[in-house]
Amino acid sequence: MKPSFKWAAAAVTVAVLAACTSMGSVKTGMSFFVTSAGPGKGADLGGLAGADAQCQTLAAAAGAGNRVWHAYLSQQPTTNVPGVNARDRIGKGPWINAKGVVIATDVDNLHGANNLSKATALTETGAVVNGRGDTPNTHDLLTGAQPDGRFIAGNVNTTCGNWTQSGDGSAMLGHSDKTGLDESVPAKSWNSSHMSRGCSPDALKSTGGAGLFYCFAAD
């Protein structure tokens, strides 16, 4: 006996949904956040690998560990390591915060007219990151990047020794709330606002930071 058309159609629908779920479930949900905490050593994140691991750990705790998470951090070239651009580590987008809001559709949009603000640059738990005017202010995010998301060339330490220093040194910072001391372009930059005063937790706190950084789902 042949199955009815309705039964056959229902079976196909279930099969398609199951296939879509198995193939696409890892592509849904949160795909961007600001870390609620760093590893605890200031700008010493254990290099890019350590920063990625922090992203992965926080994402997993928030129920999004089935994505591949990378930190938005640049690496400066040395005799031992190549230069790495933050923009090249984060996939193609789009990226969605913990509340389901799209903060950027692709890499170019992220480095252009993105939807980042104090209200949308949320942690993995959906919490707002303290900005200018809050106590304490923690809007200084580690990036080591130029405005276009590429590493900063030259003999200047802009990554706290490629994220291995927790004392002397410096790193380029961005403002997660896009707010600074004035209305200048750097003051409003989410990824390339100003240099830190050092790499220690206290040095980062002195200008409004807590060793936080951006995480993106790269898959």
mmCIF file of all heavy atoms in Angstrom, residues 34 59 82 108 111 120 134 141 157 168 172 175 196:
data_model
loop_
_atom_site.group_PDB
_atom_site.id
_atom_site.type_symbol
_atom_site.label_atom_id
_atom_site.label_comp_id
_atom_site.label_asym_id
_atom_site.label_seq_id
_atom_site.Cartn_x
_atom_site.Cartn_y
_atom_site.Cartn_z
ATOM 1 N N VAL A 34 31.431 40.513 24.188
ATOM 2 C CA VAL A 34 32.575 41.069 24.900
ATOM 3 C C VAL A 34 32.802 40.168 26.107
ATOM 4 O O VAL A 34 31.847 39.788 26.791
ATOM 5 C CB VAL A 34 32.301 42.513 25.366
ATOM 6 C CG1 VAL A 34 33.461 43.033 26.236
ATOM 7 C CG2 VAL A 34 32.089 43.432 24.177
ATOM 8 N N ALA A 59 32.013 31.233 26.208
ATOM 9 C CA ALA A 59 30.900 30.882 25.329
ATOM 10 C C ALA A 59 30.250 29.579 25.768
ATOM 11 O O ALA A 59 29.018 29.460 25.793
ATOM 12 C CB ALA A 59 31.391 30.771 23.891
ATOM 13 N N PRO A 82 54.475 35.393 12.536
ATOM 14 C CA PRO A 82 53.988 36.299 11.494
ATOM 15 C C PRO A 82 52.987 37.293 12.058
ATOM 16 O O PRO A 82 52.430 37.097 13.142
ATOM 17 C CB PRO A 82 53.296 35.341 10.516
ATOM 18 C CG PRO A 82 52.767 34.252 11.407
ATOM 19 C CD PRO A 82 53.826 34.074 12.479
ATOM 20 N N ASP A 108 33.440 43.920 6.319
ATOM 21 C CA ASP A 108 33.473 45.329 5.898
ATOM 22 C C ASP A 108 32.493 46.169 6.705
ATOM 23 O O ASP A 108 32.810 47.299 7.094
ATOM 24 C CB ASP A 108 33.156 45.444 4.402
ATOM 25 C CG ASP A 108 34.296 44.947 3.527
ATOM 26 O OD1 ASP A 108 35.449 44.944 4.001
ATOM 27 O OD2 ASP A 108 34.035 44.550 2.374
ATOM 28 N N HIS A 111 33.834 46.963 10.143
ATOM 29 C CA HIS A 111 34.845 48.015 10.145
ATOM 30 C C HIS A 111 34.354 49.285 9.458
ATOM 31 O O HIS A 111 35.146 50.143 9.074
ATOM 32 C CB HIS A 111 36.128 47.494 9.494
ATOM 33 C CG HIS A 111 36.761 46.395 10.286
ATOM 34 N ND1 HIS A 111 36.456 45.072 10.073
ATOM 35 C CD2 HIS A 111 37.650 46.429 11.317
ATOM 36 C CE1 HIS A 111 37.135 44.327 10.928
ATOM 37 N NE2 HIS A 111 37.855 45.120 11.695
ATOM 38 N N THR A 120 24.571 47.388 22.594
ATOM 39 C CA THR A 120 24.676 46.161 21.798
ATOM 40 C C THR A 120 25.979 45.401 22.002
ATOM 41 O O THR A 120 26.036 44.208 21.715
ATOM 42 C CB THR A 120 24.531 46.474 20.300
ATOM 43 O OG1 THR A 120 25.602 47.334 19.878
ATOM 44 C CG2 THR A 120 23.198 47.140 20.000
ATOM 45 N N ASP A 134 30.318 55.393 33.997
ATOM 46 C CA ASP A 134 30.005 54.336 34.959
ATOM 47 C C ASP A 134 31.184 54.103 35.887
ATOM 48 O O ASP A 134 32.320 54.460 35.574
ATOM 49 C CB ASP A 134 29.678 53.028 34.234
ATOM 50 C CG ASP A 134 28.427 53.114 33.381
ATOM 51 O OD1 ASP A 134 27.511 53.865 33.769
ATOM 52 O OD2 ASP A 134 28.373 52.444 32.338
ATOM 53 N N LEU A 141 38.786 48.070 25.499
ATOM 54 C CA LEU A 141 38.944 46.668 25.105
ATOM 55 C C LEU A 141 40.241 46.457 24.339
ATOM 56 O O LEU A 141 40.608 47.269 23.482
ATOM 57 C CB LEU A 141 37.756 46.218 24.248
ATOM 58 C CG LEU A 141 36.606 45.586 25.052
ATOM 59 C CD1 LEU A 141 36.032 46.561 26.056
ATOM 60 C CD2 LEU A 141 35.523 45.077 24.123
ATOM 61 N N ASN A 157 55.340 48.679 20.414
ATOM 62 C CA ASN A 157 54.604 47.584 21.044
ATOM 63 C C ASN A 157 53.134 47.986 21.196
ATOM 64 O O ASN A 157 52.780 48.769 22.076
ATOM 65 C CB ASN A 157 55.213 47.271 22.407
ATOM 66 C CG ASN A 157 54.550 46.085 23.097
ATOM 67 O OD1 ASN A 157 53.672 45.437 22.542
ATOM 68 N ND2 ASN A 157 54.975 45.805 24.315
ATOM 69 N N ASP A 168 55.266 46.008 32.063
ATOM 70 C CA ASP A 168 55.554 47.099 31.132
ATOM 71 C C ASP A 168 55.073 46.733 29.739
ATOM 72 O O ASP A 168 54.916 45.563 29.390
ATOM 73 C CB ASP A 168 57.059 47.382 31.103
ATOM 74 C CG ASP A 168 57.566 47.943 32.422
ATOM 75 O OD1 ASP A 168 56.744 48.519 33.167
ATOM 76 O OD2 ASP A 168 58.770 47.796 32.703
ATOM 77 N N MET A 172 47.059 48.685 21.894
ATOM 78 C CA MET A 172 45.989 49.515 21.343
ATOM 79 C C MET A 172 44.658 49.032 21.894
ATOM 80 O O MET A 172 44.395 47.831 21.987
ATOM 81 C CB MET A 172 45.985 49.443 19.814
ATOM 82 C CG MET A 172 44.885 50.282 19.164
ATOM 83 S SD MET A 172 44.940 52.046 19.613
ATOM 84 C CE MET A 172 46.378 52.568 18.656
ATOM 85 N N HIS A 175 37.028 51.463 22.291
ATOM 86 C CA HIS A 175 35.962 51.798 23.227
ATOM 87 C C HIS A 175 34.694 51.034 22.867
ATOM 88 O O HIS A 175 34.079 51.294 21.834
ATOM 89 C CB HIS A 175 35.687 53.301 23.216
ATOM 90 C CG HIS A 175 36.749 54.116 23.865
ATOM 91 N ND1 HIS A 175 36.874 55.485 23.681
ATOM 92 C CD2 HIS A 175 37.756 53.768 24.717
ATOM 93 C CE1 HIS A 175 37.902 55.936 24.388
ATOM 94 N NE2 HIS A 175 38.452 54.913 25.019
ATOM 95 N N SER A 196 47.237 51.812 25.758
ATOM 96 C CA SER A 196 47.165 51.626 27.202
ATOM 97 C C SER A 196 48.402 52.234 27.864
ATOM 98 O O SER A 196 49.417 52.473 27.209
ATOM 99 C CB SER A 196 47.079 50.141 27.545
ATOM 100 O OG SER A 196 48.311 49.486 27.248
#
